[in-house]
Amino acid sequence: MKYVIISNRLPVTVKRTDAGVTFTRSGGGLATGLDSLETDAPKHWIGWCGVQVDDPAERADIDRRLGAQLLHPVYLNEQQIADFYEGYSNSTIWPLCHYFYSNIVFDDAFRRAYWEVNELFANEAVKVVEPGDLVWVQDYQLMLLPGLIRERIPDVGIGYSHHIPFPSYELFRCLPERADILRGLLGADLVGFHTHDYMRHFISAVYRVLNLECRVDEVQLEDRISETEAFPMGINYDLYHNAITTPEVAAHADAMRGIAGDSKIILSVDRLDYSKGILTRLESYAAFLESHPEYHGKVTLIMVVVPSRDNVPMYRDLKTAIDNRIGALNGKYATIGWTPVHYFYRSFSFDELTAMYHLADVALVTPLRDGMNLVAKEYLAAKRDAPGVLILSEMAGAADELRQAIIVNPTNIKQIGDAIFSALTMPDAEKLAALRDMQSLLARRDVTAWAGEFMRELTKAKARNDELRRKVLGQSGIAEIRDRYRAARRRLLVFDYDGTLAPLVSDPAKASPTVDLLASLDRLAADPDNTVVISSGRDKRSIGDWFPNPAIRLSAEHGAFSGRTANGTAITVRWCGATTLWKLSRTSPTTRRDRTSKTNRPPWSGITGTSRTGWPNSASPSS
């Protein structure tokens, strides 16, 4: 057995230089979590290599060099990158999941590219994945992939993690491909989200779109169960907590303190995106300065906006609006010795960023909608023993865990402004008490614990489904039935109806028996050594009308009626000595598990695969 992680990108950055192709390992949370998994099994990773590679010789070289690290690249061309990633993933799924309906782009070329690229990932997966392996698929770019892998390799454990919000059914239903997306996700044995709210939205969508039987945390499929659970993602806590103790980070902190002077520092760090609420955050800071002139010259907002998709018109417009608002705010309030907002539109190194975290008195994290938001967790870890306050949006997944933060509505400008004032005036002892409580939680629930817990639950989910599949009638079971049938002097054949003789359908009235089924049952009933019984929870009239052959016995209405209604006369089923070959029933996976309890067994359920004689005349089967 081996672990196979599949994500949109490999955990390496591939670059072309004058010296050739180079690889740089990513320090992201997912890569850290995978590397820290405690297992003797090999750990493989499949993903896009990050650059377009057309030359077969160059591809072979990349395959060889990455393969030595158990990394397996998927190659995409320029059009696929545009339509799959920038298109369907980030122009359709991203705004849908973040509740920005007006930003959704429905484009058939985008949809086709998404399906095509997911197929490319599946094709690469079958080269690596073998029966018995554990596969962990990551995020919204690959929602079809669990189902595609399941079709090709049924005997494999598949997990899927959704790292962004999952929207409510009322919004998700707007997606034309909603059923296909859900079926793709249900190829997984375990579907993970960051919060229970997202998990409940997913279950609701499955129930309403696919009309499948769902429980609180599982979806019942034909021969297995797809389970769902909340797994809040953590960070590499020790890395951030100990960063300020290194000379490099300490030097950056000193330099930043020189920029801010004696001002209190409010820190905002975000990728350029409309879901982050950056403009509302600026309006809230402006409202704070308007309401508290005593803080003029005593507080500075350091705003870091990391470039993202600024070639897209919507994002270019957003950047322009941010630039203009910061310019207006600084123009109104700035003095010769004080700049209210220090604005950086670029990325920072790890050392620079952790120095900012450690130095900031307040972190302002107010996305309009966010799957988790690791910036909030990184800030708390990097503070170490220095007092600091986190102002956190209630719409971020992290708000479910970090309850000691100041939780705000990200659209309430006055509330955020008041929260800034509360954070700046809070006593240090109160700040430290809240900080230590949240740090203790983050240390326990770090990225290593997150990855380990997910893989443990996936292992359990696969084992449960393996057990259920063993209960489905296979070739050995069919052979046993055939041998017992031929050897028996008298035979009792009990058939469940819905889900066994007829498929489960949304309209029960449409589950009438086929001509071939009736012919097969008539042939069995014609043998004088056979007693054929249909056992069903349906009403006696429907069952009697569907099976008019008087030689076929009926048990309807969950055993409340035993007999026939075809000619209007009830006939009591009388059991005599017989050999029961098998109780032919394909109950749902959950029903099979529930019936392991003796208290749920009907009196005759023990006849499966055994011989019974001397049934009482009054006995009748119960479905």
Side-chain angles (χ1 to χ4, degrees), residues 264-305:
K264 295 286 187 180
I265 296 176
I266 302 172
L267 179 63
S268 167
V269 179
D270 279 302
R271 183 172 55 83
L272 179 68
D273 194 89
Y274 48 77
S275 67
K276 301 302 182 180
I278 298 172
L279 287 172
T280 305
R281 196 173 311 160
L282 286 168
E283 294 298 333
S284 301
Y285 181 60
F288 163 76
L289 293 177
E290 182 72 24
S291 301
H292 298 280
E294 70 274 18
Y295 276 94
H296 293 188
K298 298 179 181 178
V299 64
T300 295
L301 172 63
I302 296 179
M303 176 162 278
V304 177
V305 178

Side-chain angles (χ1 to χ4, degrees), residues 80-334:
Q80 289 169 334
I81 295 167
D83 290 348
F84 155 73
Y85 186 73
E86 299 292 348
Y88 196 85
S89 295
N90 287 325
S91 298
T92 304
I93 296 298
W94 178 271
L96 175 79
C97 288
H98 286 84
Y99 291 76
F100 285 86
Y101 179 80
S102 61
N103 292 353
I104 300 174
V105 178
F106 296 104
D107 187 297
D108 219 34
F110 291 173
R111 180 193 59 80
R112 288 195 300 270
Y114 190 83
W115 263 246
E116 179 182 336
V117 171
N118 272 256
E119 287 279 359
L120 290 177
F121 273 80
N123 293 340
E124 187 64 33
V126 298
K127 300 175 185 176
V128 179
V129 179
E130 299 173 307
D133 288 346
L134 292 179
V135 179
W136 190 3
V137 180
Q138 305 294 328
D139 223 2
Y140 65 102
Q141 299 94 350
L142 300 173
M143 290 192 286
L144 299 175
L145 190 56
L148 294 174
I149 295 175
R150 179 72 61 192
E151 290 174 2
R152 292 161 169 78
I153 315 174
D155 185 20
V156 65
I158 303 175
Y160 170 86
S161 285
H162 199 72
H163 295 289
I164 63 175
F166 196 92
S168 68
Y169 164 72
E170 290 303 327
L171 188 58
F172 185 79
R173 71 191 298 192
C174 300
L175 188 66
E177 306 82 27
R178 58 195 182 184
D180 292 330
I181 293 294
L182 292 175
R183 291 191 189 99
L185 293 174
L186 291 175
D189 297 283
L190 178 64
V191 182
F193 300 93
H194 286 313
T195 74
H196 285 92
D197 284 345
Y198 308 152
M199 184 186 85
R200 287 192 292 268
H201 290 330
F202 171 71
I203 290 290
S204 175
V206 168
Y207 177 75
R208 297 185 182 195
V209 174
L210 300 181
N211 198 29
L212 293 173
E213 186 174 349
C214 301
R215 300 207 172 184
V216 174
D217 60 353
E218 66 182 31
V219 180
Q220 297 178 29
L221 304 171
E222 182 177 350
D223 61 346
R224 61 186 183 86
I225 291 173
S226 182
E227 300 184 21
T228 180
E229 187 54 84
F231 300 92
M233 188 175 181
I235 61 171
N236 186 340
Y237 180 81
D238 290 339
L239 179 67
Y240 285 90
H241 189 65
N242 298 325
I244 193 61
T245 63
T246 65
E248 296 81 8
V249 175
H252 285 298
D254 290 341
M256 188 183 307
R257 173 49 69 192
I259 294 175
D262 295 331
S263 295
K264 295 286 187 180
I265 296 176
I266 302 172
L267 179 63
S268 167
V269 179
D270 279 302
R271 183 172 55 83
L272 179 68
D273 194 89
Y274 48 77
S275 67
K276 301 302 182 180
I278 298 172
L279 287 172
T280 305
R281 196 173 311 160
L282 286 168
E283 294 298 333
S284 301
Y285 181 60
F288 163 76
L289 293 177
E290 182 72 24
S291 301
H292 298 280
E294 70 274 18
Y295 276 94
H296 293 188
K298 298 179 181 178
V299 64
T300 295
L301 172 63
I302 296 179
M303 176 162 278
V304 177
V305 178
V306 179
S308 171
R309 304 184 70 203
D310 47 11
N311 60 321
V312 177
M314 183 186 304
Y315 285 75
R316 283 202 304 267
D317 294 343
L318 175 61
K319 181 184 182 299
T320 300
I322 293 171
D323 293 347
N324 291 340
R325 187 66 189 95
I326 291 174
L329 199 154
N330 280 339
K332 181 177 180 178
Y333 292 106

Side-chain angles (χ1 to χ4, degrees), residues 379-418:
Y379 168 75
L380 294 171
K383 286 302 295 179
R384 200 168 174 87
D385 299 321
V389 180
L390 171 65
I391 299 175
L392 181 61
S393 165
E394 64 186 5
M395 300 297 183
D400 281 5
E401 297 176 279
L402 306 178
R403 304 310 300 175
Q404 290 88 354
I406 298 179
I407 306 298
V408 296
N409 181 332
T411 64
N412 191 328
I413 291 173
K414 183 180 184 306
Q415 186 186 34
I416 298 173
D418 291 343

Side-chain angles (χ1 to χ4, degrees), residues 419-492:
I420 293 173
F421 178 74
S422 297
L424 293 173
T425 56
M426 185 182 297
D428 283 353
E430 186 177 343
K431 294 177 185 178
L432 286 170
L435 178 66
R436 286 165 182 158
D437 283 348
M438 291 186 284
Q439 285 178 338
S440 176
L441 180 143
L442 296 178
R444 295 194 309 272
R445 300 182 184 177
D446 65 359
V447 68
T448 302
W450 169 77
E453 182 184 7
F454 187 93
M455 295 308 289
R456 284 191 297 273
E457 289 303 315
L458 175 56
T459 301
K460 293 177 184 176
K462 180 183 184 301
R464 284 191 287 266
N465 280 330
D466 287 346
E467 179 64 22
L468 292 175
R469 279 192 288 270
R470 281 194 288 270
K471 294 183 179 181
V472 176
L473 195 61
Q475 290 301 317
S476 61
I478 293 173
E480 182 181 354
I481 291 174
R482 185 184 299 113
D483 293 342
R484 288 177 177 269
Y485 185 92
R486 291 168 178 168
R489 180 178 59 84
R490 304 194 65 182
R491 313 176 189 96
L492 172 61

